[in-house]
């Protein structure tokens, strides 16, 4: 018996959309929003804990211990991630295109400090290379695109 992955994907999508609409806090939508935002942003250098991410998703607040520093960009990027995930759910059956991907990138970065820099192109290809520290270049802009 062959599995129809397109049909299975549509069932999962419908389930995620239903849980989002019902604000279900015990399902896959809730779990995915928190864990995807936490892990994706952590890779990018966010200092928010998983509990911070959960609290931000559930209550739009972060309870500080009074001794920790919570960076505004970490909060903005995490909130943007929640919004971008919702956008993808709403447009999951749209045709995947360069414009769609650029729009998602714009959703992820709007309102951040980096987005205010003159070199940063919200929703466009990057103009400067990625760096580790200030010396190791990891990914250069592709001039051929």
């Amino acid at each position: 018996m062959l599995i129809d992955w397109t049909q299975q994907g549509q069932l999962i999508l419908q389930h995620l959309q239903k849980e989002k609409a019902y604000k279900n806090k015990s399902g896959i939508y809730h779990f995915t929003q928190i864990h995807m935002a936490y892990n994706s942003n952590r890779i990018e250098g966010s200092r928010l804990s998983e509990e911070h991410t959960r609290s931000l998703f559930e209550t739009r607040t972060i309870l500080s211990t009074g001794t920790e520093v919570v960076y505004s960009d970490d909060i903005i990027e995490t909130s943007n991630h929640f919004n971008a995930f919702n956008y993808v759910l709403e447009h999951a059956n749209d045709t995947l295109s360069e414009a769609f991907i650029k729009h998602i990138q714009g959703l992820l970065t709007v309102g951040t400090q980096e987005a205010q820099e003159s070199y940063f192109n919200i929703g466009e290809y990057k103009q400067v290379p990625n760096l580790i520290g200030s010396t190791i270049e990891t990914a250069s802009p592709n001039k051929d695109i």
Side-chain angles (χ1 to χ4, degrees):
M1 178 176 169
L2 291 175
I3 296 173
D4 183 344
W5 290 109
T6 301
Q7 181 184 18
Q8 293 300 310
Q10 287 300 310
L11 290 173
I12 292 169
L13 175 62
Q14 291 168 6
H15 191 79
L16 287 165
Q17 290 169 333
K18 199 176 292 182
E19 286 187 3
K20 177 183 178 284
Y22 294 136
K23 299 181 182 352
N24 183 340
K25 291 188 177 181
S26 63
I28 192 169
Y29 170 77
H30 187 263
F31 178 89
T32 302
Q33 274 283 32
I34 293 166
H35 291 275
M36 242 174 85
Y38 169 73
N39 288 299
S40 177
N41 289 324
R42 193 69 171 192
I43 289 169
E44 294 295 325
S46 173
R47 296 160 200 85
L48 294 182
S49 68
E50 189 173 324
E51 188 52 41
H52 287 144
T53 305
R54 177 182 317 286
S55 179
L56 192 58
F57 180 68
E58 292 176 354
T59 68
R60 309 292 290 171
T61 64
I62 292 177
L63 180 60
S64 173
T65 62
T67 60
E68 64 190 334
V69 175
V70 180
Y71 292 91
S72 61
D73 266 2
D74 291 346
I75 295 168
I76 293 166
E77 289 169 359
T78 301
S79 294
N80 287 351
H81 200 286
F82 300 145
N83 294 332
F85 184 79
N86 286 337
Y87 180 83
V88 169
L89 280 183
E90 293 164 12
H91 297 274
N93 289 317
D94 292 1
T95 301
L96 184 60
S97 66
E98 182 180 20
F100 184 80
I101 293 168
K102 286 179 174 183
H103 183 73
I104 294 167
Q105 189 270 346
L107 292 173
L108 290 168
T109 55
V110 69
T112 63
Q113 179 63 40
E114 188 175 43
Q116 296 174 30
E117 300 295 337
S118 61
Y119 65 85
F120 196 78
N121 257 347
I122 294 179
E124 292 296 330
Y125 290 103
K126 64 182 175 179
Q127 296 177 346
V128 296
N130 292 355
L131 297 173
I132 296 175
S134 60
T135 58
I136 301 171
E137 188 173 308
T138 62
S140 297
N142 187 342
K143 305 288 185 198
D144 298 330
I145 294 179

